[in-house]
Amino acid sequence: MDKIVALAKRRGFIYPGSEIYGGLANTYDYGPVGAELLRNIKNLWWKYFVQARPDMVGIDGSIISHHKIWEASGHVAGFADAMIDCKNCKSRYRADHIIEDHFSAKSEEKNVEGLSTKELDEIIEKEKITCPNCGKIEWTKVRKFNLLFPVQLGIVEGEGGMGYLRGETAQLIFTNFRNVVDSTRVRLPFGIAQLGKSFRNEITPGNSVFRTIEFEQAEIEYFFDPDETKWEPLYEEWKNAMNVFVTEKLGVKKENLRWRTHTDEERSFYSKRTEDMEYKFPFGFKELWGLAYRTDYDLTAHKEASKKDLTIIDPKTQKRILPHVIEPAVGINRLLLMVLADAYQEEENRTVLKITPKLAPYKVAVFPLLANKEDLVAKARKVFELLSPEFMTAFDDRGNIGKRYLSQDEIGTPWCVTIDFDTLDNDTVTIRDRDTTKQERIAIKDLLSYFEEKLQS
Ligand code: GAP
């Protein structure tokens, strides 16, 4: 993990947030290649789950939202983590994390989700768990902290009332359900997708962007009439779509993935089934993507709190239906961390990110063989101008060719094009493949179609 974090910083994927002012815990900024990778993952998710499906539409809800949304959804009362403080060194931890880490150090698995603060206190005391920072046992009692960020609206304090930064994108889908039904041609079963920032005031144990206080969430609420559509096969269809996306679209290795069913204690009381797709991160198998059958819990809650009719009329039978939902919910930043971890390889003479080409921040890098030969540089600029309108293309004339290859390998660029003296004679260039390091010669006029074909396969 340390190596991945170091490469991510060194090469411009992920920087610590507010770094020049000493950093701000659990925040990160994305650098030039990180921003590209993040955008590519978001676009691929949208393309696969919204654009390619006739039964899906997308929305983009606001980040600041009415406090009543979060009261109705249950977040104000119940969206809390159990925290504990070390009285000696003042470090703060999530109680479940220090317990789980304590057991995993003994090669035992312990799931403490759903336990009360009293039960967590008892485990910490019985196991004599020490502070990971100072090694002392001087704990406060375990307490619950709400994760929502309140925002004071209005220029004068108290004027505009209270809102919240959204703690998940899902609630905005439920609160816009009526609007989407009334303004589009959707018919059950159908899904509403949303991709955007969510905010949670989390205490996290590091691990880069795995868990942050601000993150990009991509969620779908798939609405259906439980009398017409059986939930079990629908649930399996979504599981399959998630598997296909991660393995085929993001190019992640199957053997690093597994599914885990939530225990009765950890599953929300309204959910009929919840499973997590987990990825084998360098710090262990961890939740990547949740899939939950949430019944009609959310629409019922908003219907009752808002006193608005959120039912939909079946055009055939005129029956009023309050749809149920299946919800696949994932964090794009977590997908990005997985992509980096899965692609990272150390070979004898190089470190290389074998990111699937469609996701790679740059698809092509263009090099003039020598930076001090004007005609080579001018020709390389022409090749850059040919490729860059179609593909993210890097241009590099610093250092020697070997070093340029190595730096492109570290950011996962699949192909490097070199303009050499033969190019000036016959308008051909060499293309070096990131994964095989083999080179082939190709005419400049065929470059666009060459990369188009490669990126289609
Ligand atoms: N609407 C359901 C929901 O939000 P969740 O399990 O709390 O469920 C869904 O979140 C997904 O969002 C997680 O599987 C994870 O990928 C991502 N996620 C949640 N909290 C996160 C955080 N603090 N930082 C990064 N990603 C997070």
Side-chain angles (χ1 to χ4, degrees):
M1 190 63 195
D2 288 347
K3 287 180 178 175
I4 294 167
V5 169
L7 179 133
K9 166 98 199 290
R10 190 173 73 244
R11 290 293 179 202
F13 283 97
I14 303 168
Y15 308 132
S18 311
E19 197 185 11
I20 63 166
Y21 291 104
L24 182 65
N26 309 324
T27 66
Y28 292 88
D29 298 329
Y30 289 82
V33 287
E36 288 302 326
L37 182 55
L38 202 62
R39 184 176 305 115
N40 291 345
I41 298 174
K42 288 196 260 190
N43 288 347
L44 217 57
W45 182 89
W46 196 270
K47 204 168 173 185
Y48 183 68
F49 288 109
V50 184
Q51 185 181 327
R53 296 182 57 131
D55 57 346
M56 290 287 309
V57 291
I59 63 163
D60 194 353
S62 80
I63 282 170
I64 298 176
S65 40
H66 203 292
H67 62 90
K68 285 189 179 163
I69 293 182
W70 304 96
E71 284 156 13
S73 68
H75 284 76
V76 170
F79 194 44
D81 277 342
M83 309 286 190
I84 192 165
D85 291 296
C86 172
K87 288 193 250 178
N88 180 52
C89 71
K90 311 284 181 251
S91 301
R92 176 167 287 173
Y93 298 97
R94 263 181 62 174
D96 55 342
H97 287 165
I98 58 167
I99 295 174
E100 281 164 12
D101 291 349
H102 169 79
F103 281 95
S104 81
K106 300 197 287 181
S107 303
E108 289 172 36
E109 251 189 59
K110 176 105 180 154
N111 193 337
V112 294
E113 285 224 31
L115 295 191
S116 68
T117 50
K118 193 161 164 278
E119 287 165 318
L120 296 171
D121 273 332
E122 282 164 7
I123 298 174
I124 290 168
E125 203 181 319
K126 181 161 168 263
E127 291 289 321
K128 296 191 175 45
I129 296 178
T130 55
C131 170
N133 184 45
C134 70
K136 293 262 163 48
I137 307 182
E138 290 185 29
W139 295 116
T140 59
K141 289 271 178 240
V142 173
R143 289 157 297 157
K144 290 267 184 181
F145 284 76
N146 195 285
L147 298 179
L148 286 181
F149 280 106
V151 275
Q152 185 64 50
L153 305 173
I155 300 161
V156 176
E157 202 175 313
E159 190 184 55
M162 239 257 293
Y164 286 104
L165 299 187
R166 63 187 183 201
E168 59 174 22
T169 54
Q171 290 309 318
L172 277 292
I173 298 179
F174 295 119
T175 55
N176 279 296
F177 174 72
R178 178 86 268 154
N179 281 335
V180 172
V181 168
D182 289 347
S183 58
T184 67
R185 309 273 300 157
V186 290
R187 252 201 330 198
L188 290 175
F190 71 91
I192 305 179
Q194 189 177 194
L195 196 165
K197 289 263 166 105
S198 291
F199 301 81
R200 297 180 184 180
N201 203 352
E202 312 227 32
I203 302 290
T204 82
N207 294 332
S208 182
V209 296
F210 179 78
R211 192 185 299 283
T212 48
I213 57 179
E214 174 183 338
F215 57 100
E216 297 270 358
Q217 234 186 355
E219 297 193 280
I220 292 164
E221 301 301 334
Y222 198 78
F223 298 92
F224 63 98
D225 175 359
D227 294 337
E228 290 290 322
T229 308
K230 285 209 177 334
W231 72 266
E232 290 93 340
L234 192 58
Y235 191 96
E236 288 309 311
E237 273 173 36
W238 277 104
K239 236 172 127 168
N240 185 46
M242 288 157 66
N243 278 329
V244 169
F245 185 76
V246 173
T247 56
E248 292 177 23
K249 304 290 165 189
L250 302 185
V252 165
K253 298 176 198 83
K254 274 199 185 78
E255 62 268 27
N256 291 334
L257 297 162
R258 73 177 186 194
W259 282 90
R260 188 182 70 80
T261 306
H262 278 210
T263 60
D264 290 346
E265 293 76 39
E266 68 183 302
R267 200 180 56 240
S268 311
F269 67 91
Y270 50 79
S271 168
K272 286 243 172 84
R273 186 187 295 169
T274 303
E275 290 177 57
D276 289 339
M277 179 193 268
E278 296 187 331
Y279 177 74
K280 194 178 178 188
F281 287 98
F283 42 92
F285 268 107
K286 295 281 174 212
E287 173 184 344
L288 179 73
W289 201 330
L291 181 64
Y293 172 24
R294 295 172 70 101
T295 65
D296 59 357
Y297 173 78
D298 303 88
L299 281 185
T300 302
H302 288 299
K303 187 172 107 173
E304 285 172 3
S306 68
K307 312 265 182 297
K308 296 282 181 326
D309 180 12
L310 300 182
T311 55
I312 188 168
I313 297 175
D314 182 327
K316 277 184 268 157
T317 61
Q318 296 303 303
K319 183 180 79 161
R320 285 202 167 272
I321 305 157
L322 192 65
H324 282 210
V325 291
I326 284 178
E327 177 199 71
V330 71
I332 297 288
N333 317 74
R334 216 172 263 192
L335 291 178
L336 179 142
L337 188 63
M338 169 186 70
V339 165
L340 289 182
D342 214 69
Y344 182 92
Q345 284 188 23
E346 287 179 356
E347 294 178 357
E348 212 179 311
N349 298 316
R350 63 173 187 159
T351 299
V352 52
L353 285 186
K354 294 193 172 168
I355 303 178
T356 189
K358 276 201 184 98
L359 276 189
Y362 289 108
K363 310 296 181 238
V364 193
V366 174
F367 310 148
L369 182 65
L370 298 171
N372 56 2
K373 293 279 175 234
E374 247 173 56
D375 37 2
L376 287 183
V377 175
K379 191 75 182 172
R381 294 244 173 248
K382 283 249 167 317
V383 173
F384 175 85
E385 280 161 22
L386 172 77
L387 296 176
S388 60
E390 301 304 322
F391 316 107
M392 262 320 276
T393 308
F395 184 90
D396 190 2
D397 58 4
R398 281 175 50 186
N400 64 42
I401 285 282
K403 284 212 177 108
R404 295 182 213 160
Y405 283 152
L406 292 184
S407 83
Q408 294 300 326
D409 286 346
E410 286 199 341
I411 59 171
T413 308
W415 302 288
C416 294
V417 170
T418 301
I419 284 71
D420 55 21
F421 292 105
D422 287 348
T423 314
L424 302 178
D425 286 343
N426 59 15
D427 250 14
T428 63
V429 291
T430 62
I431 300 181
R432 182 256 198 188
D433 183 281
R434 175 195 70 196
D435 297 345
T436 61
T437 71
K438 293 224 163 69
Q439 298 190 18
E440 60 182 307
R441 213 154 179 109
I442 178 164
I444 290 176
K445 67 175 174 43
D446 297 331
L447 274 179
L448 279 176
S449 56
Y450 176 92
F451 293 125
E452 262 156 25
E453 252 171 55
K454 288 269 185 196
L455 285 163
Q456 254 160 27
S457 58

